Each structure stands twice: as structure tokens, then as C-alpha cells.
Amino acid sequence: MLSLENLVVKYGNVEALHGIDMEVAEGEIVSILGANGAGKSTTLMSISGLVKPASGSIVFEGKPIHTLPAHKIVEMGIAQVPEGRRVFGTLTVAENLRLGAFTSKDRNRDAKTRDWIFSLFPILKERRKQLAGTLSGGEQQMLAIGRALMAHPRLLLLDEPSLGLAPLIIKAIFETIREINGSGVTVVLVEQNARAALRLAHRGYVLEVGKVVLADTAGSLLANP
Ligand code: ADP
Ligand code: ADP
């Protein structure tokens, strides 16, 4: 479904990714692991078009996407949940979700997707008229995921969804990620919390200073920490 080939990304003179190769098959949950600064976020942002590679290629469903603007990439079926659960605090939950469907032209489909999101995260339905800024951290993360799903993605990119959340909330969110994947959405999950991510994922890539140093099934990576 997705392949990254010899991807190089630079911030000014600093090379953050030194030639990454990665494959994601349809239906998978693939986890990208590694220490702070390894290049996990940069990898995700290159897929979603928020940073542009200096060289290499990103091919999604047979089409090169690394030259496309980010909004085109959303239209092609890739949505990213950025790090730090960014929601619009002065808008309601329902308004935040509506913004997620900004590229959509099919209101009936949007309404169905919203109901699906409410079934995944019932608390969002309860709070749909509340300002997003009044939600707890976990609820804001759920809303950020819901907003990304409103774009009807076939590939969902998650950047550290567990960051700063309590273990029980993390468990609930990870179970919902599994459910989202079960509905046919392929997932790329960036996590520092390697064990939790590998229990959820099918395969994993470990990055170290801008390089892939390990690529294996989640089971093997869990067995050989
Ligand atoms: P991770 O997500 O694994 O923590 P990042 O992708 O955020 O890693 O960062 C990879 C490298 O790129 C790090 O050395 C980081 O300091 C650098 N970097 C990230 N963002 C920027 C930026 N906007 N400008 C300059 N350097 C950056
Ligand atoms: P379609 O209109 O493409 O046939 P539906 O909106 O009827 O899809 O949803 C099909 C199933 O997938 C339903 O169980 C629904 O809850 C769920 N679903 C809805 N929106 C999405 C989405 N964006 N991604 C994955 N599954 C979804």
C-alpha cells in the first residue's frame, strides 16, 4: 500500500533521515519505534506531506506522493493525527469533527462516519456540544483521532497517541486503534512506548538517528528487546 524508498529529509543543513526504506501492506498496523530525535515524526510528516524529502520516494497505492501538497495527500486517503493532540479548544467537539471532513463532498457519508466515531468513542458523543478545550487530555486525543477519521482515510498516521496519558486511557485508546484497523483502516503508529505499541502492531521498524536499524514482526521485536 505504501512504500518509502531511500528517503532523505533535511532541515536546513541537518539531515534528519539518512535514507529510510519502509513498506506498509494494506490492513497492517506498523509501528515506528525509537528514541527521541530518531526521526519518527519526520518520517510520518513526510508521508503526510508536511515535510518534503530532499531525495527518495514515497509511493501510495502505486502513485508517487512525495511531490504532492499535504491537502492532496489527505484527499488520496492518508490522514495524520499530529503529536500533542491538537484540537481547536474554542470550538465544540462536533465542530472539530466537522473540520476533519474539510475535503469531503459527501455529507451523508460524513454523517455515517461521525456516527461510527461516536460508536468508537461514546464519550465524544456525550460531549459533542462541549468546547474541546474543556475535555480531558485523553478525550482530546480521542477527538484528534476522530477528526482525522472524518477525512475517510485508508491509511491513518498516529504520532505518539499515548503521550502524557494515564495507563488506563492508553489501553482504551490502543484498543480502539485495533478496532479502527479492524474496520479496514491501515495504521502507522509512532510510539516511544515500544512494548505497548508492539503488542498492538503486526510489524515494527526501529529508527536510530535517521536510519532503520531493525525491521521485523512485532512478535520477534517483542521477544528480542
Ligand atoms: P522523533 O520523532 O523520533 O523524536 P524527529 O523526527 O522529531 O524525531 O527529529 C529527527 C531529527 O530532526 C532530530 O535530530 C531533530 O532535532 C531534528 N528536527 C526535527 N524537526 C526539526 C526542525 N523543524 N528543524 C530542525 N531540526 C529538526
Ligand atoms: P461506505 O459508505 O464506504 O460503504 P460506510 O460509511 O457505510 O462505508 O461504513 C462501512 C463500515 O465502516 C461501517 O461499519 C462504518 O461504521 C465503518 N466506517 C465508517 N466510516 C469509516 C471510515 N472512514 N473508515 C473505516 N470505516 C468506517
Side-chain angles (χ1 to χ4, degrees):
M1 182 185 222
L2 179 78
S3 70
L4 277 51
E5 213 184 296
N6 203 11
L7 195 70
V8 174
V9 173
K10 293 180 183 171
Y11 294 108
N13 295 326
V14 181
E15 198 172 279
L17 300 183
H18 313 296
I20 299 261
D21 293 305
M22 211 173 268
E23 296 282 338
V24 178
E26 190 171 354
E28 280 191 309
I29 300 178
V30 171
S31 191
I32 303 178
L33 310 168
N36 231 333
K40 302 181 300 297
S41 290
T42 301
T43 305
L44 271 203
M45 290 191 294
S46 345
I47 300 168
S48 58
L50 299 176
V51 302
K52 291 295 164 197
S55 62
S57 68
I58 304 176
V59 176
F60 177 64
E61 295 181 333
K63 298 177 201 84
I65 59 168
H66 52 277
T67 53
L68 297 179
H71 73 273
K72 288 280 177 210
I73 294 177
V74 177
E75 282 174 28
M76 290 185 70
I78 300 179
Q80 179 169 0
V81 182
E83 190 177 328
R85 43 180 176 275
R86 273 173 237 142
V87 297
F88 296 98
T90 58
L91 299 179
T92 66
V93 166
E95 286 164 343
N96 269 274
L97 289 178
R98 213 170 300 136
L99 282 177
F102 71 100
T103 61
S104 172
K105 289 163 198 79
D106 186 341
R107 294 299 152 209
N108 280 330
R109 185 173 176 229
D110 293 345
K112 269 200 243 169
T113 302
R114 195 201 51 211
D115 288 345
W116 176 56
I117 291 161
F118 284 158
S119 75
L120 293 170
F121 300 113
I123 192 75
L124 294 183
K125 184 172 186 182
E126 268 175 53
R127 305 222 190 289
R128 65 191 179 282
K129 293 181 179 156
Q130 256 176 254
L131 297 183
T134 68
L135 301 181
S136 71
E139 290 162 359
Q140 290 188 5
Q141 183 64 63
M142 293 172 191
L143 179 56
I145 295 172
R147 198 177 69 207
L149 290 175
M150 285 300 293
H152 309 284
R154 293 186 296 287
L155 176 63
L156 181 68
L157 311 174
L158 294 157
D159 198 347
E160 300 241 23
S162 76
L163 201 69
L165 299 179
L168 269 179
I169 311 274
I170 296 173
K171 192 160 174 278
I173 287 177
F174 276 28
E175 274 165 16
T176 309
I177 294 170
R178 193 192 298 279
E179 204 178 328
I180 292 165
N181 176 249
S183 296
V185 181
T186 305
V187 173
V188 177
L189 172 65
V190 159
E191 267 297 334
Q192 282 204 38
N193 190 343
R195 295 197 68 79
L198 288 173
R199 278 195 290 269
L200 185 67
H202 302 103
R203 289 189 307 114
Y205 288 88
V206 180
L207 300 189
E208 232 173 75
V209 286
K211 274 278 191 201
V212 174
V213 292
L214 269 177
D216 211 333
T217 62
S220 301
L221 290 172
L222 263 176
N224 307 292

